[in-house]
Amino acid sequence: MSTDVTEETLSNGHHHSSTPEVGDMDIHTQACARVMPQQFKPAPGVEVFDGVFLGKMLGAGVQAKVFDLVFKDGSQTGKVLKIGHQDFSHSLLLNKMATSMMSLQKEWEIGMQLKAALEDKDGNLPGFTRTCDCMAIMKDAKSKSVTFRGMMMEKIQGWSVASRVTDPTFHNIHYIREMLYQVFSALDRAQRYLGFNHADLGLNNVMEHYPRILPSLVEKQKQENLRVISSTNLAGMDSLSSPKEPGKEPTWTRTESGMGCAVPPPVPGYSCAFDGGKLPLGPHIEFKIIDYGVGEFNETLAQAAGGYTADETLRKIHHVFSQRGIPVGPNANEELLNLVQEEEPGINPREKKKKKRGAWMLRKDQDNRFVVMEGDSMKKNAKEKEKSHRQTTSVSKGPIEKMYRRFWERKGDVFHILLSLAVTLDDRVWPKEDEKDVQLFISLIHHVTGVKMKAYFVSPTDPKRIKVMGRRWKESEESAAEEGYRPYLYGTRVRFFNKMRKFRMVLSAHFAPFNSGLLAGEALVSPFFGTGGAKHATLPVCVESAFPFREVA
């Protein structure tokens, strides 16, 4: 499970395989901290370590900025850098708030544990975004102060689910089913093995991902990255080199990845957006969950989903992490400081080692990437750390987070994402041929949230037309005709009280839900996914099943 940033490991193409046991992790490969000097300022074109540069900024939020990571020739590394804001306003106003609810360090720690438990033998993490090295800022040599600043993550090639389904012309129930099938499958593994609760699984936190993008797009990205690197003024700036579980396959048609995959033609509202944008980027599609900053490993959820599997998994993870020196858990900040404070720039890794508190610290490849080699006292302390394996992050819960969790108590990730879909897709016109699938989807929504969606169905050959899109369609009718678009039959109906209805749906779901704590594994037996339901008991059965033999005291 190495996180070395090399051209071999930073590839885009991948396929899924079975998930290994946590205990099989190679403890000699190290997850590391990339340590940068205090004067490091993230900007497009800056070299962050040997041969790898910051590309264009892909986005920014309240918590952090996200930069593409590219090689010198402009080719993709397959990873991004998510780094926290460093300006005065964010430091002054958000540091205290971010202690628990928006902590990058907490997100990295949860991501590392998800990767340790669920990553397959090929280094893929089905359904989740992989986290890699963390980035720390060294303030100065005298104080030996190190601050967690960000992390490197797998790059997602695609758009958020929210950006697609909020299109007023969207009417693709097959997209919804495939997305939910992949998301629930990933959640089912995470719930059983870790008791993972994302706690913020809205449509913006599920992303389309195309592991193999079209060659024309690869070249376009490469040329754009080259322009970013070459146009940046670097004068006066120093170089900073430095488990898949068995389950029932659905009966509905799923085209597995292979030689026959092809990108579909553009159909507005179905395979692309209203304006022809957001076409699929490649022949394969995955859906990945992002942003674990509000997530947690819940013991009650773990026992309901997988018995005591999660307890044993977390114990193994913390045992291995303590041997590998990965700064995760209640003592993470101290371990991160111990990781780097004894080193000085320019040390040849073959010439000098230093021992502190049982850990052999070693600078690797002279690229500011620090690792911890196992020492004798670390082996002794590993068992002690296992006792605190339930404290999975270094960040304690603040008052805002406690109130947030109290509000979402007994409302799981399945409830969260289904309610988001219900509010977004309510009162739409769908193709007549998809009526049965849409009705099964509505039944699943109603069973979990208690909300009853409205849906209408028309056929292209039916003379009866239902008005959709309201004012937006009127404004776009002439331009659509000029561009050759046919009139749209499907999409959102625009009504005067539409927003009020959606608000009432949200209130009703939160105050009177039906099955808000439904597990992902339970949701997967829904007829919407065609898996044939749960396995039934075979009869008759031996009486010992109900009355197992025991010795009389």
Side-chain angles (χ1 to χ4, degrees):
M1 202 175 71
S2 174
T3 56
D4 289 338
V5 182
T6 64
E7 195 157 1
E8 180 180 358
T9 58
L10 295 178
S11 58
N12 283 336
H14 60 275
H15 298 282
H16 295 167
S17 65
S18 60
T19 303
E21 292 293 331
V22 176
D24 295 336
M25 288 192 301
D26 182 5
I27 63 173
H28 298 294
T29 58
Q30 304 292 327
C32 306
R34 299 268 177 184
V35 181
M36 313 302 288
Q38 187 176 13
Q39 63 269 25
F40 172 71
K41 301 295 182 184
V46 173
E47 186 177 10
V48 288
F49 42 91
D50 192 23
V52 177
F53 296 78
L54 292 181
K56 67 177 181 179
M57 188 172 73
L58 302 177
V62 176
Q63 181 187 34
K65 301 176 183 178
V66 179
F67 291 90
D68 199 0
L69 285 174
V70 300
F71 291 114
K72 189 175 182 179
D73 63 354
S75 59
Q76 295 286 323
T77 65
K79 288 184 169 57
V80 298
L81 174 64
K82 185 173 184 179
I83 187 165
H85 295 294
Q86 302 179 54
D87 54 89
F88 178 75
S89 59
H90 283 89
S91 300
L92 180 65
L93 299 176
L94 295 178
N95 269 359
K96 295 299 181 183
M97 292 177 57
T99 299
S100 59
M101 286 294 288
M102 296 181 290
S103 170
L104 279 177
Q105 185 169 357
K106 177 183 175 183
E107 181 177 350
W108 181 78
E109 291 171 352
I110 290 177
M112 289 298 295
Q113 291 170 85
L114 281 171
K115 184 169 72 167
L118 305 177
E119 189 178 52
D120 63 26
K121 294 179 180 179
D122 294 332
N124 306 316
L125 189 60
F128 293 95
T129 306
R130 293 177 69 250
T131 54
C132 303
D133 288 1
C134 66
M135 176 172 282
I137 301 295
M138 174 75 80
K139 289 188 177 180
D140 55 72
K142 293 182 180 180
S143 66
K144 303 293 184 182
S145 178
V146 178
T147 304
F148 188 99
R149 187 59 70 186
M151 64 191 127
M152 281 171 279
M153 308 176 69
E154 172 187 14
K155 182 179 180 180
I156 302 298
Q157 302 269 15
W159 300 275
S160 69
V161 170
S163 67
R164 190 173 294 277
V165 301
T166 52
D167 187 305
T169 64
F170 179 82
H171 58 275
N172 187 348
I173 192 63
H174 309 284
Y175 175 92
I176 297 296
R177 181 165 51 192
E178 181 62 36
M179 181 271 294
L180 288 178
Y181 187 68
Q182 292 191 27
V183 169
F184 289 168
S185 297
L187 280 177
D188 183 39
R189 291 190 294 269
Q191 288 175 352
R192 283 186 287 112
Y193 278 92
L194 292 167
F196 175 69
N197 176 32
H198 188 281
D200 190 24
L201 195 60
L203 299 179
N204 280 308
N205 284 335
V206 180
M207 300 287 294
E208 298 175 11
H209 175 56
Y210 300 89
R212 288 176 50 207
I213 63 175
L214 300 174
S216 58
L217 297 177
V218 173
E219 184 61 28
K220 182 179 179 181
Q221 287 184 350
K222 184 176 180 179
Q223 296 303 321
E224 186 175 347
N225 291 330
L226 279 175
R227 285 196 298 271
V228 170
I229 295 174
S230 60
S231 63
T232 303
N233 181 15
L234 300 178
M237 186 179 297
D238 295 333
S239 173
L240 296 174
S241 297
S242 22
K244 187 175 181 181
E245 288 297 309
K248 295 184 178 181
E249 285 298 316
T251 56
W252 48 275
T253 303
R254 293 183 77 236
T255 307
E256 303 291 347
S257 62
M259 300 301 293
C261 300
V263 178
V267 178
Y270 194 82
S271 60
C272 66
F274 172 80
D275 57 0
K278 293 186 173 62
L279 272 169
L281 303 179
H284 305 146
I285 186 171
E286 301 176 12
F287 293 91
K288 286 184 173 285
I289 298 170
I290 63 171
D291 288 347
Y292 318 130
V294 191
E296 64 173 350
F297 298 133
N298 186 287
E299 187 173 3
T300 303
L301 175 63
Q303 291 182 358
Y308 294 97
T309 303
D311 195 67
E312 183 62 26
T313 301
L314 285 170
R315 195 181 305 277
K316 288 181 179 180
I317 287 175
H318 279 249
H319 175 74
V320 175
F321 277 19
S322 64
Q323 291 182 322
R324 298 177 65 191
I326 300 177
V328 168
N331 300 318
N333 293 327
E334 180 182 355
E335 291 172 358
L336 181 62
L337 180 59
N338 292 340
L339 188 62
V340 300
Q341 68 178 357
E342 289 285 326
E343 295 289 353
E344 296 294 339
I347 296 177
N348 188 314
R350 294 182 176 85
E351 294 178 357
K352 187 174 182 179
K353 289 182 180 179
K354 289 199 174 184
K355 188 176 182 182
K356 183 177 180 65
R357 301 184 185 180
W360 290 99
M361 288 168 293
L362 178 66
R363 182 187 295 275
K364 185 175 181 180
D365 303 329
Q366 295 182 309
D367 63 353
N368 288 346
R369 189 171 189 261
F370 291 85
V371 302
V372 175
M373 307 303 291
E374 185 180 351
D376 293 336
S377 64
M378 287 192 73
K379 294 180 180 178
K380 296 179 181 178
N381 293 335
K383 292 185 178 181
E384 296 180 5
K385 285 198 171 187
E386 289 180 24
K387 298 178 182 179
S388 61
H389 66 279
R390 273 290 160 195
Q391 188 172 346
T392 54
T393 65
S394 61
V395 182
S396 59
K397 295 179 182 179
I400 298 178
E401 181 176 0
K402 289 179 180 178
M403 288 189 293
Y404 178 86
R405 296 199 184 281
R406 182 66 178 174
F407 177 78
W408 282 100
E409 190 176 13
R410 300 179 184 175
K411 300 182 183 76
D413 292 332
V414 173
F415 171 87
H416 199 151
I417 192 169
L418 289 181
L419 179 59
S420 298
L421 284 171
V423 173
T424 304
L425 299 178
D426 181 56
D427 205 23
R428 292 209 178 201
V429 180
W430 302 84
K432 184 69 175 178
E433 61 185 294
D434 295 331
E435 183 173 0
K436 288 185 176 180
D437 291 329
V438 174
Q439 292 293 0
L440 289 175
F441 170 64
I442 292 174
S443 297
L444 176 61
I445 294 283
H446 187 236
H447 175 70
V448 176
T449 66
V451 168
K452 188 69 174 178
M453 294 173 56
K454 287 185 178 180
Y456 306 88
F457 305 93
V458 297
S459 172
T461 58
D462 191 347
K464 180 182 177 181
R465 303 288 290 276
I466 300 178
K467 180 181 176 183
V468 298
M469 295 176 59
R471 184 176 300 174
R472 177 171 179 177
W473 167 242
K474 291 179 180 178
E475 294 174 351
S476 307
E477 188 171 7
E478 294 183 3
S479 60
E482 292 176 359
E483 297 175 10
Y485 290 130
R486 59 189 296 271
Y488 298 102
L489 296 175
Y490 319 112
T492 302
R493 301 190 72 191
V494 180
R495 302 191 185 195
F496 183 75
F497 293 106
N498 187 266
K499 292 184 178 179
M500 185 178 296
R501 170 178 165 78
K502 292 180 183 294
F503 180 70
R504 190 181 67 178
M505 289 171 65
V506 173
L507 288 181
S508 173
H510 278 289
F511 289 102
F514 280 7
N515 296 281
S516 60
L518 195 76
L519 300 173
E522 296 170 336
L524 285 171
V525 303
S526 166
F528 180 55
F529 301 109
T531 52
K535 184 179 179 181
H536 291 174
T538 57
L539 301 175
V541 66
C542 182
V543 69
E544 295 177 20
S545 299
F547 302 97
F549 294 155
R550 289 185 177 178
E551 295 182 4
V552 179

